[in-house]
Amino acid sequence: MHVRKLTSGLAAVLAVTFSLMGGQAVAAPAPVADRAAARVVTYDASGSAEFRTAVDRGAAIWNESVDAVDLRPVASGQRANVRVLADNGWPRALTTSLGNGTVYIGRQAVDQGYNTIRISAHELGHILGLPDRKPGPCSSLMSGSSAGTACTNPYPNAAEKSEVQGNFGAALTRTAGAVPVGVMIVD
């Protein structure tokens, strides 16, 4: 999506510039990437209690960061790929397959001072096929709690974005470092 916005914006600027210079303006080209072609992964955050806004923001961050997958709230009456629940334990994700599973936004980490949006984006990262990368710096979303409570960065780094792109690319094959299916990942 970020490439599409840049390309479309550049084309619009060039078209206006040429028309102001007396040249002939041409129509902007079609967007480079079509969001409709992304694999849609729906999530149900109705059980996320006080973390609902953080869950929606975590999903939006992934949507801003990658083109191959689109996280959307589940429509009424449909079954979601991902359930997001709040509980009193530590944050964790249980993947059942790539793009499917359950995320728990645990109050224990929140009570210790960890950022709710970072937790949400991190746990959704597991659903998107990323493993923990501990210990790690704050610049790595998947470093999770090892970055400390002062770290509030909810954005995946370039390598994490690339890995998710590969996981959900045209072949829809999992990469070597992908999260194992059916394993509870506690962070």
Side-chain angles (χ1 to χ4, degrees):
M1 181 159 70
H2 48 282
V3 172
R4 179 177 67 234
K5 286 180 182 176
L6 179 62
T7 304
S8 297
L10 179 60
V13 168
L14 289 174
V16 170
T17 302
F18 287 135
S19 66
L20 292 175
M21 294 172 54
Q24 187 174 12
V26 294
V32 173
D34 184 2
R35 194 87 186 139
R39 178 171 164 197
V40 174
V41 173
T42 58
Y43 66 94
D44 178 359
S46 63
S48 63
E50 70 270 28
F51 306 119
R52 178 63 185 257
T53 301
V55 171
D56 290 338
R57 184 64 193 128
I61 286 168
W62 277 109
N63 290 342
E64 295 164 13
S65 300
V66 297
D67 293 321
V69 64
D70 188 17
L71 292 164
R72 296 183 190 167
V74 70
S76 179
Q78 291 185 333
R79 185 168 182 256
N81 299 99
V82 182
R83 288 185 329 141
V84 185
L85 305 171
D87 72 1
N88 293 326
W90 195 257
R92 59 204 182 279
L94 175 61
T95 58
T96 54
S97 63
L98 183 62
N100 296 284
T102 304
V103 164
Y104 298 87
I105 309 294
R107 292 181 182 97
Q108 184 178 357
V110 176
D111 291 345
Q112 290 179 21
Y114 290 95
N115 180 275
T116 57
I117 298 172
R118 179 173 167 86
I119 292 169
S120 174
H122 173 92
E123 297 305 332
L124 288 170
H126 289 313
I127 297 295
L128 301 179
L130 299 178
D132 280 326
R133 302 243 161 71
K134 295 179 180 182
C138 184
S139 59
S140 168
L141 175 63
M142 299 315 291
S143 68
S145 62
S146 71
T149 58
C151 178
T152 60
N153 170 38
Y155 294 93
N157 65 26
E160 293 162 340
K161 292 176 191 178
S162 179
E163 191 170 345
V164 169
Q165 285 289 113
N167 289 347
F168 287 88
L172 290 179
T173 58
R174 295 179 55 200
T175 61
V179 171
V181 172
V183 174
M184 179 71 70
I185 302 165
V186 179
D187 184 12

